[in-house]
Amino acid sequence: ETSQLEQYIEEKPYCLISRMGLTQKPDVAAARMLQGRVVILVDGTPHVLTVPELFVETIQSGSDYYQRTVYSNYLRLIRLFAFFIAILLPGLAIAIFNYSSEVVPFVFLTSFIKATEGTPLPFALEILFITIMFELLKEAGLRIPKAMGSAITFVGALIIGQAAVDAGIVSAPTIIVVALTAVASLVLPNVNEMITMYRYIFLALGAIMGIIGIVSGLILMLSSIIAKDSFGIPILSSFSNSEQKDAIFRAPLREIFLRPISVVKNNI
C-alpha cells in the first residue's frame, strides 16, 4: 500500500513531518507531474505518492485553482490559521489562564473563574482528559461502518462533553477549547499526525513554563521545519521570492505559467 511504501523509502522515520504528498485526486496528481514532481502509483490502491512535497502544499487544495483568486487566498489563510489553532490553542489557553491571566479582559476572566469553580481537576488536566476522550471517540469512529461512524463520533463527543460539564468534572471553557482545536485539526487532514503530536508537546510546555514555553516550543518547531528537506529540496523553498506567485497567496492563473524553480531548475 502507498502508506507502507512511504515508510520504506522515507529517510527519517521518526520525523513528525511527512515529506511525501498523498492524494486520491487525478487532477492534483496531474498538476504535480506538470510541476516536475514524481508521482508513485501502487497497483490496487486508490492513493498516489508525490515527491518532493513542500510544506506550503499542506494549506493548498486542488479546488483553489477552480475558484477566483481573492476567495482562494481567503481559504488558504483560513487553513493556515487552523493549522496554528490546532497545534497551539490548548497549550496557549493553559499558559494564559494559569500564568498570564492579567492579559485576559476582566469580563472573560470573571466568567472563566466562575465556570471553573468546583471542578476537581486543574485546567491543564481537564484539557488533557477531554482531548484524550475525543481521540478515543475518533478512533472508534474510524473502526465503525462509515454510515454511522462519523455520527457516533460527534454525538458521543457532545454527550460526553455535556455530561462531564453537568457532573462538574470539567468546565465549559475546557469543552470550548478542545472543540475548537478538534474542528481546526479537521481542516488539514494531511498533517493530522504532526498536528496531534505537536499539540501534546505544546500542552506540556504551556502547563510547565507558560508563555515562555509556548514561544520556545514555537521557535523550536519552526527551526525543525526549516531544517527539513524532501528528497534534496528544502520544504520551505516555496517561501522564497521567486515562488511567491503560488505559495500562501495565489496570483491569477494567467500569471502562473512557470514550474516552481525550487523543484525544476529549467523552465522552457
Side-chain angles (χ1 to χ4, degrees):
E1 207 273 335
T2 47
S3 297
Q4 293 175 316
L5 179 63
E6 177 185 1
Q7 295 181 57
Y8 278 114
I9 64 179
E10 64 182 353
E11 298 174 348
K12 297 180 179 180
Y14 294 103
C15 180
L16 296 177
I17 305 171
S18 174
R19 271 76 66 83
M20 297 184 188
L22 186 69
T23 182
Q24 288 181 292
K25 298 181 178 180
D27 57 338
V28 174
R32 299 285 173 83
M33 291 180 65
L34 291 174
Q35 291 178 348
R37 316 294 174 87
V38 175
V39 176
I40 305 172
L41 297 94
V42 179
D43 186 27
T45 62
H47 303 86
V48 298
L49 294 172
T50 61
V51 294
E53 169 85 349
L54 304 181
F55 187 77
V56 74
E57 291 169 0
T58 60
I59 64 170
Q60 296 176 349
S61 173
S63 61
D64 291 346
Y65 302 94
Y66 303 126
Q67 296 165 334
R68 298 180 64 84
T69 304
V70 175
Y71 186 67
S72 174
N73 291 333
Y74 164 75
L75 291 179
R76 288 188 178 185
L77 285 176
I78 289 293
R79 296 186 199 113
L80 182 63
F81 181 68
F83 174 77
F84 286 102
I85 286 292
I87 291 178
L88 295 176
L89 183 59
L92 188 61
I94 294 170
I96 290 176
F97 286 110
N98 284 359
Y99 296 97
S100 305
S101 57
E102 66 275 3
V103 304
V104 181
F106 180 75
V107 175
F108 291 104
L109 184 60
T110 303
S111 300
F112 174 79
I113 294 174
K114 289 181 179 179
T116 55
E117 285 181 350
T119 55
L121 299 175
F123 187 51
L125 290 181
E126 289 183 12
I127 290 183
L128 179 62
F129 172 72
I130 296 298
T131 299
I132 293 176
M133 288 298 102
F134 182 82
E135 291 293 334
L136 290 174
L137 286 170
K138 187 169 67 173
E139 285 298 311
L142 292 175
R143 286 153 181 80
I144 295 175
K146 189 175 182 180
M148 56 186 301
S150 59
I152 288 178
T153 300
F154 286 102
V155 172
L158 289 173
I159 293 175
I160 292 178
Q162 186 62 44
V165 173
D166 292 341
I169 300 175
V170 298
S171 60
T174 300
I175 302 297
I176 295 173
V177 169
V178 175
L180 286 175
T181 303
V183 171
S185 65
L186 296 176
V187 176
L188 300 168
N190 291 338
V191 286
N192 184 61
E193 295 177 0
M194 173 188 174
I195 286 175
T196 301
M197 293 297 100
Y198 272 113
R199 182 188 303 147
Y200 288 111
I201 293 174
F202 278 100
L203 195 153
L205 290 174
I208 297 171
M209 301 174 61
I211 295 296
I212 296 177
I214 297 296
V215 174
S216 301
L218 189 59
I219 293 173
L220 291 175
M221 183 186 75
L222 294 177
S223 301
S224 175
I225 295 175
I226 292 171
K228 298 295 185 296
D229 65 85
S230 176
F231 292 85
I233 306 297
I235 63 175
L236 291 187
S237 59
S238 298
F239 294 94
S240 62
N241 291 332
S242 59
E243 306 287 353
Q244 290 306 305
K245 289 186 178 180
D246 189 18
I248 294 180
F249 297 102
R250 177 180 71 79
L253 288 181
R254 68 182 66 178
E255 298 182 15
I256 307 175
F257 52 87
L258 295 178
R259 294 177 291 183
I261 298 175
S262 57
V263 178
V264 180
K265 302 299 182 184
N266 187 16
N267 276 291
I268 299 178

